[in-house]
Amino acid sequence: MTSDDKPTHDGDRTPHTDQQDAANKAVTEAALFEAFGGVRGMVETVLPGLLFVTIFTVNKNLHVSAIAALAVSLLLVVVRLVRKDTVKHAFSGVFGVAFGVVFAMITGNAKDFYLPGMLYTLGLALAYLITTLAGVPLIGLILGPVFKENLSWRTRNPGRKRAYAKASYAWGLILLAKCAILFPLYWWADTTQLGWVLIGLKIPPFLLAVYLTWVFLAKAPAPIDVFAEMEAAEQAEKDREAEREAEREREAEAEKARGAEAAAARNYDA
């Protein structure tokens, strides 16, 4: 067990350490909220599919259900654009719904509305596991820029790399478990049954994965702010250049003074 993995006891921690832990947890919460969109991002993820399965359950009309789901996805993007908010979560929802709509329209099977998203979930689960086994956990690639640490955790922060690995394994296994439920239902259940189960599995696995990520990262060493380091290095270089310029000016003044003294000496001798 390494020093990063050793448990700590409340009696052994100083107030300074408690403050650092609280700050680390706050930073982690803010970063996860930004990366995954928070409550609004979850609503934007669930609403189109919920609308599709609700309408299809009532009238069994694939075209009406698909158009309604796509329309609400576009509306969510427009609302974000009007409010000048970040649109990445809404746009990802539009693309996911659009793929589902196109696929279902081509095959004529309403269940195929869900298939692209299911395949994406499976691919994402494998990506989390494979990248972690390769030593570059996907969750670290996603959150590194958010924490302003980029890839510094790979070589300079081993405790944080371990936390990213644990979180990526958690995401991968949770998504694989979700796929293990959904793919059999794709073959055996009807459209409405699959749709309602899929809606039910949208938020809970996601919240579990985010919570485990928060747990692992809150206990990990603080991120190394490489942007602050670059800014500090740039400022130090500017300071050195300013010092060199000042030194050149002092030397020039000294040279002028020596020249003036030499000229005064020649005039005196003359």
Side-chain angles (χ1 to χ4, degrees):
M1 179 179 291
T2 65
S3 59
D4 290 314
D5 294 327
K6 290 179 181 178
T8 58
H9 303 283
D10 291 339
D12 297 333
R13 292 167 18 155
T14 65
H16 179 65
T17 302
D18 291 336
Q19 291 176 358
Q20 287 179 328
D21 289 345
N24 192 25
K25 289 179 180 179
V27 170
T28 302
E29 289 173 5
L32 291 176
F33 190 91
E34 178 181 345
F36 298 115
V39 175
R40 187 172 180 182
M42 288 188 288
V43 170
E44 291 172 341
T45 300
V46 172
L47 189 57
L50 178 60
L51 188 62
F52 177 89
V53 70
T54 300
I55 295 176
F56 191 84
T57 300
V58 173
N59 62 17
K60 307 299 181 183
N61 190 313
L62 170 61
H63 290 77
V64 173
S65 303
I67 292 172
L70 186 58
V72 76
S73 296
L74 292 172
L75 179 61
L76 292 172
V77 172
V78 171
V79 170
R80 279 192 175 265
L81 289 173
V82 170
R83 299 183 58 174
K84 298 181 179 179
D85 294 334
T86 302
V87 297
K88 60 181 180 180
H89 300 289
F91 266 129
S92 64
V94 168
F95 290 134
V97 172
F99 277 117
V101 168
V102 170
F103 204 66
M105 292 294 188
I106 291 175
T107 64
N109 185 353
K111 282 198 293 188
D112 288 338
F113 173 80
Y114 305 110
L115 188 57
M118 293 165 57
L119 293 173
Y120 172 78
T121 299
L122 178 59
L124 188 59
L126 295 176
Y128 275 118
L129 298 176
I130 292 172
T131 56
T132 305
L133 291 172
V136 192
L138 180 58
I139 198 70
L141 300 179
I142 295 172
L143 295 180
V146 179
F147 281 109
K148 300 180 180 180
E149 60 181 337
N150 284 350
L151 295 179
S152 62
W153 50 268
R154 287 198 63 202
T155 55
R156 300 173 56 191
N157 206 338
R160 196 159 182 84
K161 182 178 179 180
R162 284 192 293 274
Y164 280 137
K166 292 176 183 177
S168 289
Y169 278 130
W171 277 91
L173 294 175
I174 289 170
L175 293 179
L176 276 183
K178 180 177 177 179
C179 291
I181 297 172
L182 292 178
F183 277 97
L185 287 176
Y186 175 78
W187 296 108
W188 301 332
D190 60 30
T191 301
T192 56
Q193 291 171 333
L194 174 62
W196 287 112
V197 171
L198 194 147
I199 292 299
L201 289 178
K202 277 282 187 180
I203 300 302
F206 173 80
L207 290 179
L208 176 60
V210 171
Y211 172 73
L212 291 176
T213 302
W214 178 82
V215 169
F216 296 139
L217 292 182
K219 295 179 180 179
I224 299 171
D225 192 336
V226 295
F227 295 114
E229 288 183 342
M230 288 188 290
E231 291 175 357
E234 291 176 0
Q235 186 59 46
E237 180 60 30
K238 290 179 181 179
D239 293 341
R240 286 193 292 271
E241 181 59 32
E243 180 61 29
R244 287 193 291 267
E245 181 63 26
E247 182 63 25
R248 286 193 291 268
E249 291 179 358
R250 287 194 294 269
E251 290 178 355
E253 291 295 330
E255 185 63 28
K256 287 181 181 179
R258 288 193 292 271
E261 289 177 356
R266 285 195 298 272
N267 291 335
Y268 179 78
D269 292 339

